[in-house]
Amino acid sequence: MTSRPTEAQHLRDLALLRRVRDRMDREYAQPLDVEALARGVNMSAGHLSRRFRLAYGESPYGYLMTRRIERAMALLRRGDLSVTEVCFEVGCASLGTFSTRFTELVGMPPSTYRRQAASDASGVPPCVAKQVTRPIRNREARGPVPPLA
């Protein structure tokens, strides 16, 4: 039988999860894994993964990859880097994994996105293009996530 966390523990966990999410937002291009993220907040990798999914609707890895894809989209819109260069610039070690995840989130392969973005974004300010083309995370697509219990 497991005990339910107290309200104070719940708030401490949320603060730690925000630290993890903020670190991924800042260091998305660095080699990050769940074990390293968990060590940074003195949690086990399993506990971090479960609590992160409850709080944000996706796994830490899913969140990190979405962040990387968002940055990749901006770099591809600029058009001065190849798809392979963008892949490594955003912290992905595998072009295949990058292309697969990009296609899942954006709906087209990165090379197609790059060609299309070059023609579609002419004359559109980068801040508007970023907002309009932002990939939809799993949580946003499914609706609100139930509160942590």
Side-chain angles (χ1 to χ4, degrees):
M1 184 160 126
T2 61
S3 62
R4 294 180 65 121
T6 65
E7 184 65 23
Q9 181 59 46
H10 173 73
L11 292 175
R12 279 191 298 273
D13 279 357
L14 284 177
L16 293 174
L17 294 173
R18 278 193 300 273
R19 283 181 43 202
V20 169
R21 188 187 63 192
D22 290 347
R23 180 177 176 195
M24 286 189 280
D25 287 341
R26 277 190 322 274
E27 300 176 19
Y28 65 88
Q30 302 302 315
L32 295 173
D33 58 38
V34 176
E35 289 80 15
L37 293 168
R39 272 193 309 274
V41 292
N42 297 317
M43 284 185 184
S44 72
H47 184 71
L48 172 65
S49 292
R50 285 187 300 277
R51 300 302 289 178
F52 195 95
R53 183 178 295 277
L54 282 171
Y56 299 113
E58 64 185 325
S59 69
Y61 175 78
Y63 181 87
L64 178 61
M65 285 303 293
T66 300
R67 178 68 183 99
R68 287 175 172 172
I69 298 305
E70 288 173 345
R71 180 65 181 139
M73 291 171 72
L75 293 172
L76 290 168
R77 281 192 303 273
R78 278 190 358 206
D80 58 342
L81 297 175
S82 71
V83 171
T84 302
E85 290 169 324
V86 168
C87 167
F88 295 121
E89 181 73 21
V90 299
C92 293
S94 162
L95 183 58
T97 300
F98 169 76
S99 294
T100 299
R101 186 68 174 154
F102 190 99
T103 302
E104 287 172 358
L105 286 171
V106 180
M108 66 183 76
S111 55
T112 303
Y113 179 82
R114 184 173 186 237
R115 281 192 305 274
Q116 185 175 333
S119 63
D120 289 351
S122 59
V124 176
C127 59
V128 173
K130 179 182 177 183
Q131 187 61 31
V132 171
T133 60
R134 189 172 70 86
I136 297 173
R137 290 191 177 109
N138 296 337
R139 186 177 126 213
E140 294 167 346
R142 285 194 316 257
V145 175
L148 294 174

